[in-house]
């Protein structure tokens, strides 16, 4: 089949890499893509938020499947436009994508479905904000109700900082702090059947030791050697299936990728948030471990035939990804800096380590930075220690002026801590 992927980050590069290795994929396109994706897919320009433009492009290309990567096109209803044209699309409708587009909507769905989550208040006035902050106390958890590119959440002991963030949002969700380690679990669903992937853990803070500001994610690893072997089954039973069932009962079935951000608390598993698409950078490590060809799984989800899909086949290998970010990220990033060392990684470290591009573009013969998170250096190994060693060995070959990365991705898990 011909496949069109919408987006241009490292998540889309990971998706395109997996799809390019699938023998069922006869042609692979990405719009708008980036410098790295151009090595495995044919790039096409498109306004990813314009459903009509995406549908026209898919029609022109004869795409048998459209895969929408980022959250913004999903919340804008791009999948609805493509679906209305009769083209199979992997991604939820505008209504179902509200699960990510509105924290308040997600809380309402979870309450109706009996899904365990943090107690919370939805606030729109300063008085409501003050009352909610007082009710929960520190540490304060304040979430912008709308999309915020992974950076709309503030967790702080500083009440003034929490209040300032809350008042900067039109509508905000303030909730109790959830203790314990966090886990990301993806599930592919057609609105009825739910197929869980392998869990991963990402690192949101910019600096080592989970210090510094919140980011879109500075690295990830999978599997989680410290997690309960029954975790996936428990989350399927208490979170994923009930949520999919509730949305179907509401008349807004969720078809696509349901991402549960979880906290493993002293009181059990709790949902921190839902996303309506593959997460970045967790996708990079999860797909690195997936042996089952990806295209048929996504197509079955798009066509409502996921019950025909056999169990997924996973590699025993571990995977680690380290994000190389630009100068000043997550503030206003500096762009246009030349990236060197990519050919060295390909020549010296492949196939166990490779570079997935996030914010890059090509200028003549050079690849330059074009965003905050620039690269996801991903590696596999027999265990986390080996995957981690390979990832950082490849990172050391990358030269990007002013760049930054965390040095402790997966370090505790690799050491059995």
């Amino acid at each position: 089949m011909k496949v069109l992927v919408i987006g241009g980050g490292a998540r889309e590069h990971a998706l395109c890499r997996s799809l390019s290795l699938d023998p069922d994929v006869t042609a692979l396109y990405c719009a708008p893509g980036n410098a790295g994706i151009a090595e495995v897919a044919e790039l096409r320009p498109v306004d990813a938020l314009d459903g009509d433009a995406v549908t026209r492009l898919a029609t022109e290309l004869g795409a048998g499947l459209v895969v929408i990567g980022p959250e913004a096109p999903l919340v804008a209803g791009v999948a609805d436009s493509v679906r209305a044209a009769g083209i199979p699309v992997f991604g939820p409708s505008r209504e179902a994508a509200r699960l990510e587009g509105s924290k308040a909507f997600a809380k309402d769905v979870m309450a109706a479905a009996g899904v365990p989550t943090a107690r919370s208040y939805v606030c729109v006035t300063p008085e409501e904000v003050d009352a909610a902050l007082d009710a929960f106390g520190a540490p304060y958890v304040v979430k912008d109700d709308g999309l915020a590119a992974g950076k709309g959440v503030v967790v702080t002991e500083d009440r003034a900082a929490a209040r300032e963030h809350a008042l900067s949002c039109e509508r905000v969700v303030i909730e109790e702090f959830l203790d314990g380690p966090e886990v990301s679990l993806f599930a592919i669903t057609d609105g009825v059947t739910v197929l869980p992937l392998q869990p991963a853990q990402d690192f949101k803070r910019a600096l080592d030791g989970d210090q510094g500001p919140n980011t879109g994610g500075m690295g990830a690893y999978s599997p989680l050697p410290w997690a309960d072997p029954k975790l996936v089954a428990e989350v399927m039973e208490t979170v994923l299936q009930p949520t999919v069932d509730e949305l179907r009962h509401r008349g807004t079935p969720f078809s696509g990728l349901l991402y549960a951000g979880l906290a493993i608390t002293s009181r059990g598993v709790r949902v921190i948030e839902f996303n309506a698409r593959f997460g970045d950078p967790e996708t990079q490590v999860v797909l690195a471990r997936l042996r089952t060809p990806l295209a048929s799984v996504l197509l079955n989800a798009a066509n409502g035939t996921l019950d025909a899909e056999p169990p997924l086949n996973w590699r025993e290998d571990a995977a680690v990804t380290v994000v190389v970010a630009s100068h000043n990220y997550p503030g206003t990033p500096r762009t246009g800096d030349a990236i060197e060392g990519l050919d060295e990684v390909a020549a010296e470290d492949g196939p166990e380590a490779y570079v997935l591009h996030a914010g890059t573009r090509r200028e003549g013969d050079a690849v330059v930075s074009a965003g905050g998170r620039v690269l996801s250096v991903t590696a596999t190994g027999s265990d986390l220690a080996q995957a981690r060693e390979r990832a950082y060995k490849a990172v050391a070959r990358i030269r990007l002026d002013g760049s930054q990365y965390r040095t402790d991705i997966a370090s505790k898990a690799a050491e059995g801590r």
Side-chain angles (χ1 to χ4, degrees):
M1 78 183 94
K2 296 180 179 180
V3 181
L4 169 63
V5 176
I6 302 299
R11 162 187 46 226
E12 288 76 35
H13 194 173
L15 286 164
C16 285
R17 180 180 181 273
S18 290
L19 290 165
S20 73
L21 299 172
D22 188 331
D24 287 340
V25 176
T26 55
L28 181 60
Y29 306 93
C30 187
N34 62 37
I37 295 173
E39 297 176 9
V40 294
E42 186 177 321
L43 303 191
R44 294 298 176 95
V46 79
D47 178 355
L49 298 177
D50 185 335
D52 291 340
V54 171
T55 302
R56 280 196 302 274
L57 177 60
T59 302
E60 289 168 12
L61 297 174
L65 175 66
V66 176
V67 180
I68 300 176
E71 61 271 26
L74 293 168
V75 172
V78 171
D80 300 275
S81 299
V82 177
R83 206 170 271 122
I87 301 170
V89 57
F90 183 79
S93 66
R94 181 202 304 262
E95 279 299 306
R98 290 178 66 205
L99 206 58
E100 175 169 5
S102 169
K103 303 290 190 298
F105 175 76
K107 288 289 187 183
D108 183 64
V109 170
M110 283 188 271
V115 169
T117 187
R119 293 179 298 122
S120 64
Y121 294 103
V122 179
C123 308
V124 292
T125 68
E127 292 77 17
E128 290 172 343
V129 167
D130 289 335
L133 293 175
D134 291 341
F136 291 129
Y140 303 100
V141 181
V142 183
K143 300 180 177 182
D144 190 336
D145 181 50
L147 289 182
K151 297 192 284 287
V153 179
V154 166
V155 181
T156 179
E157 298 277 349
D158 185 338
R159 190 183 190 282
R163 189 174 191 272
E164 180 183 9
H165 179 64
L167 296 180
S168 72
C169 306
E170 279 189 34
R171 192 157 83 142
V172 70
V173 174
I174 296 175
E175 63 184 40
E176 67 175 328
F177 177 77
L178 296 174
D179 64 325
E182 295 185 11
V183 173
S184 299
L185 184 61
F186 302 161
I188 292 170
T189 178
D190 59 5
V192 179
T193 301
V194 181
L195 199 61
L197 305 186
Q198 289 290 305
Q201 186 175 60
D202 78 331
F203 295 76
K204 287 293 186 193
R205 298 288 184 172
L207 307 176
D208 284 5
D210 292 327
Q211 301 298 306
N214 216 36
T215 73
M218 294 299 291
Y221 70 94
S222 178
L224 312 181
W226 49 266
D228 188 327
K230 300 174 185 172
L231 175 65
V232 173
E234 179 187 346
V235 176
M236 268 289 291
E237 182 181 342
T238 63
V239 174
L240 298 170
Q241 193 70 58
T243 300
V244 168
D245 291 345
E246 172 63 22
L247 286 167
R248 186 176 69 255
H249 294 150
R250 290 179 178 220
T252 55
F254 189 105
S255 170
L257 194 289
L258 179 57
Y259 164 153
L262 308 165
I264 313 301
T265 77
S266 55
R267 294 171 293 142
V269 174
R270 297 288 185 273
V271 175
I272 300 169
E273 65 177 357
F274 283 124
N275 290 329
R277 38 72 195 182
F278 280 102
D280 182 345
E282 300 98 319
T283 301
Q284 289 87 302
V285 292
V286 172
L287 291 186
R289 300 185 58 223
L290 180 64
R291 185 176 275 123
T292 300
L294 185 61
S296 68
V297 185
L298 303 186
L299 184 63
N300 277 326
N303 286 336
T305 54
L306 199 58
D307 60 342
E309 186 68 36
L312 297 177
N313 190 354
W314 296 93
R315 295 184 176 89
E316 293 297 318
D317 286 0
V320 171
T321 194
V322 179
V323 170
V324 177
S326 57
H327 175 74
N328 200 42
Y329 179 77
T332 303
R334 190 173 79 201
T335 61
D337 290 312
I339 303 167
E340 298 177 335
L342 298 173
D343 291 342
E344 293 171 35
V345 174
E348 301 291 335
D349 302 307
E352 291 86 6
Y354 49 89
V355 179
L356 298 169
H357 291 229
T360 69
R361 68 173 182 272
R362 186 166 286 282
E363 285 188 358
D365 293 333
V367 175
V368 303
S369 61
R373 292 187 294 174
V374 182
L375 305 168
S376 285
V377 181
T378 305
T380 56
S382 59
D383 55 22
L384 284 174
Q386 186 178 55
R388 199 173 171 277
E389 179 186 353
R390 287 172 172 171
Y392 279 106
K393 185 178 178 182
V395 167
R397 301 187 197 277
I398 305 293
R399 297 179 295 282
L400 171 61
D401 186 46
S403 64
Q404 53 177 317
Y405 60 89
R406 283 184 57 160
T407 65
D408 62 346
I409 303 301
S411 59
K412 290 182 179 178
E415 294 166 5
R417 293 190 284 143

